Amino acid sequence: MIGNDIVDISLAKKQSDWQRRGFLDKIFTCAEQEQIASAINPFQMVWTMWSMKESTYKVLIQKGYKRFNNPRKLECALDSLYKGGVSAFDEQFITSTQQHSDYIFTTAKLLAHSKTSTQSKVFSLDVDPSDLRSKAAYQELKQYLTLLKGWNLDSLKVKKTIRGVPQIFYNNTYLEIPLSLTHHGKFGAFSITVN
């Protein structure tokens, strides 16, 4: 299982006033708020932790947890802006974050699966409206898999389960390839566990 999340920095600056009263209290624990307050770049820290929480949330949903709307249940700890961990429901996750001038991208997996090999790709999305961005992200994943595995593009499908978890099908056969897709603003990404 793997989760991921991407934040388009310019869109986050436009859409969210993270400094407004009560915003941090709804999303971050007291310890996390202390890290944000002491960070050299608090804006970057807010969205790094947000992407850590979102990517971990996706793993929890894949594991069968019920959907919930309380980001404070996931507590971040950072070794650096690039490596960290999240604790949730007595489970431990590791995260890896890419900091870019235009985006923040994080992947998460269970600590017990820390040695599993994953591959990720971040790409630009120059399409509107947002429902087309999802289709474009699926297409990027499918093209990647055709190159990686030598599969026929037309025989690949990406479908979501009732829980919203994406799954890959080849010739209408479900392939047990753990994956996560994300998009925000002008950027999309996917992460897969490869064997």
Side-chain angles (χ1 to χ4, degrees):
M1 286 174 255
I2 188 166
N4 67 5
D5 188 61
I6 196 161
V7 176
D8 179 327
I9 291 174
S10 65
L11 187 57
K13 286 179 180 176
K14 289 178 192 172
Q15 287 184 335
S16 177
D17 180 8
W18 65 273
Q19 293 175 309
R20 78 175 183 273
R21 185 179 173 158
F23 180 88
L24 296 179
D25 291 332
K26 287 182 181 179
I27 297 171
F28 301 105
T29 65
C30 291
E32 291 169 336
Q33 289 181 55
E34 288 175 15
Q35 285 185 285
I36 291 166
S38 64
I40 294 170
N41 184 340
F43 172 87
Q44 184 179 26
M45 185 62 74
V46 163
W47 296 110
T48 296
M49 286 187 180
W50 173 263
S51 69
M52 291 169 67
K53 288 174 183 268
E54 282 291 310
S55 58
T56 300
Y57 179 80
K58 289 180 179 180
V59 178
L60 289 167
I61 298 305
Q62 290 172 32
K63 283 195 72 170
Y65 283 83
K66 288 185 177 182
R67 292 189 175 278
F68 61 93
N69 189 17
N70 185 353
R72 291 173 57 100
K73 288 188 176 192
L74 298 97
E75 185 158 8
C76 300
L78 286 134
D79 300 329
S80 69
L81 279 176
Y82 308 102
K83 297 285 179 194
V86 177
S87 300
F89 304 105
D90 296 324
E91 298 203 60
Q92 301 298 314
F93 302 83
I94 61 164
T95 62
S96 177
T97 301
Q98 295 176 27
Q99 303 283 341
H100 188 275
S101 60
D102 295 325
Y103 61 81
I104 295 169
F105 173 66
T106 300
T107 58
K109 53 188 166 181
L110 285 161
L111 181 61
H113 298 152
S114 63
K115 302 287 187 217
T116 58
S117 179
T118 59
Q119 294 180 5
S120 298
K121 181 179 179 185
V122 175
F123 44 87
S124 294
L125 290 174
D126 296 322
V127 293
D128 272 323
S130 63
D131 63 327
L132 293 179
R133 291 187 200 121
S134 290
K135 290 177 184 175
Y138 286 4
Q139 192 64 22
E140 284 281 341
L141 172 63
K142 288 166 51 178
Q143 289 174 346
Y144 179 82
L145 287 171
T146 59
L147 292 173
L148 182 69
K149 301 283 191 179
W151 292 335
N152 179 327
L153 181 65
D154 294 332
S155 299
L156 270 173
K157 302 276 186 255
V158 180
K159 301 176 188 176
K160 284 190 176 182
T161 66
I162 291 172
R163 300 178 59 77
V165 177
Q167 296 179 330
I168 300 170
F169 291 80
Y170 188 67
N171 288 327
N172 295 320
T173 301
Y174 169 63
L175 305 177
E176 293 187 35
I177 300 174
L179 74 126
S180 187
L181 291 150
T182 184
H183 61 83
H184 183 241
K186 295 180 181 178
F187 299 99
F190 62 78
S191 300
I192 61 172
T193 301
V194 291
N195 297 326

